[in-house]
Amino acid sequence: MKVAIFAGGYGTRLSEETAIRPKPMVEVGGKPILWHIMKMYAHHGLNEFVVLGGYKVEYIRDYFLNYRGNRTDYTIDLKTGSVDWLESVNDDWKVTVLDTGDDAMTGGRLKKAMPYLANEPFCLTYGDGLSDLNINALIESHLASKNWCTLTAVTQPGRYGALRLKEGNNQVEGFREKGEIDGGLINGGFFVCNPEVFETIDDSQTVWENAPMNRMIELGKLGYFHHNGYWQSMDTLRDKMVLEAAWAKGAPWKLWKD
């Protein structure tokens, strides 16, 4: 199963970092948060990625084009250009980097990746969130359902809009604004999708979180998987500091071995 990652937004609430690079390339513990996300999925056996770039996509392209050279010793023949790699790279990943445009919305970015994803179910996430989510359990839950999409419901106080959930059949009924002391669940941004989700996206300006999800709710095709473990997004500089502190203490999302 492939993993699509939204990585093209401007990240304006983290402008201290994103003025010079896209948000997924902002580092936590000396590595881009995008790398952490991919390590999470790879830990669960998913190693084919489709990165939906846009704003400053050249940083992401350069990162993966030089991935091996920046991590391993080598001998290069400057006359012929041949390279003798002296070490192997542990990350057995296949990475597709797409330029989905600077101004496309999330749904539009996903639609442009349709040729790479439309043949089978796929995972989808944002390039700014980390979790100790059991991704295989999420996938199993989705495949056992008749839903077009299964999102991950997590608990997070504060500024996010909460989910209205239908008990008993793991269906999402809708979204609502969330109060400061509301203990409701929110969309944690880790999805499993069927190719049918592309039918819900109109054009490049479609926001994945709006019309497509509401259409699936109306059709009874949007489900949820409840994760009650660690989850943290990186929307602001404060969030980055929270993740840096967590990394220094052992990183709850670091389930892989070095």
Side-chain angles (χ1 to χ4, degrees):
M1 185 177 289
K2 293 181 180 179
V3 182
I5 305 175
F6 289 122
Y10 288 99
T12 53
R13 286 187 289 183
L14 191 57
S15 58
E16 300 91 342
E17 295 272 357
T18 57
I20 59 173
R21 53 187 165 181
K23 185 161 70 166
M25 297 305 294
V26 174
E27 294 185 350
V28 174
K31 296 286 190 358
I33 192 171
L34 179 61
W35 176 88
H36 292 266
I37 293 167
M38 295 167 78
K39 292 289 282 189
M40 284 171 44
Y41 278 98
H43 172 74
H44 290 89
L46 287 80
N47 60 5
E48 290 193 52
F49 301 95
V50 180
V51 181
L52 312 180
Y55 171 68
K56 295 189 181 295
V57 67
E58 63 273 13
Y59 280 77
I60 300 173
R61 286 174 167 165
D62 290 345
Y63 179 75
F64 289 109
L65 284 173
N66 296 295
Y67 193 85
R68 185 169 187 176
N70 288 333
R71 281 165 176 74
T72 65
D73 294 338
Y74 60 83
T75 300
I76 183 170
D77 186 323
L78 296 180
K79 183 176 182 180
T80 65
S82 65
V83 177
D84 181 16
W85 299 102
L86 306 181
E87 301 175 64
S88 62
V89 174
N90 292 329
D91 298 316
D92 182 20
W93 301 347
K94 183 177 180 180
V95 185
T96 300
V97 181
L98 303 179
D99 183 357
T100 62
D102 283 4
D103 298 321
M105 297 291 102
T106 46
R109 297 190 191 285
L110 181 57
K111 189 86 168 185
K112 291 183 180 180
M114 184 175 173
Y116 305 92
L117 300 169
N119 294 327
E120 60 182 2
F122 61 92
C123 290
L124 172 67
T125 193
Y126 300 98
D128 63 359
L130 297 172
S131 176
D132 61 358
L133 169 69
N134 186 331
I135 294 169
N136 286 331
L138 166 63
I139 293 171
E140 290 173 6
S141 175
H142 175 76
L143 295 179
S145 75
K146 296 182 180 179
N147 294 313
W148 288 2
C149 177
T150 299
L151 59 77
T152 300
V154 301
T155 302
Q156 170 74 10
R159 61 188 181 274
Y160 299 93
L163 300 168
R164 292 201 313 271
L165 304 178
K166 186 184 296 183
E167 297 295 333
N169 64 357
N170 285 22
Q171 293 297 124
V172 179
E173 288 189 321
F175 303 89
R176 61 183 172 81
E177 291 302 313
K178 187 172 187 234
E180 291 183 0
I181 60 173
D182 193 329
L185 297 173
I186 66 167
N187 171 15
F190 293 91
F191 308 90
V192 183
C193 304
N194 287 355
E196 287 88 346
V197 300
F198 292 108
E199 300 173 17
T200 70
I201 302 172
D202 293 326
D203 53 38
S204 66
Q205 294 305 299
T206 299
V207 178
W208 165 246
E209 303 79 8
N210 292 345
M213 288 195 186
N214 287 318
R215 288 170 182 169
M216 286 186 280
I217 289 172
E218 292 171 0
L219 294 169
K221 295 295 185 181
L222 181 61
Y224 73 92
F225 177 83
H226 184 195
H227 172 63
N228 58 8
Y230 181 87
W231 178 89
Q232 177 65 52
S233 65
M234 187 182 67
D235 288 322
T236 66
L237 186 59
R238 177 189 175 279
D239 294 334
K240 179 185 181 322
M241 294 170 65
V242 168
L243 288 171
E244 288 281 10
W247 179 260
K249 294 178 180 179
W253 66 87
K254 187 182 180 297
L255 303 178
W256 64 89
K257 294 181 180 179
D258 293 323

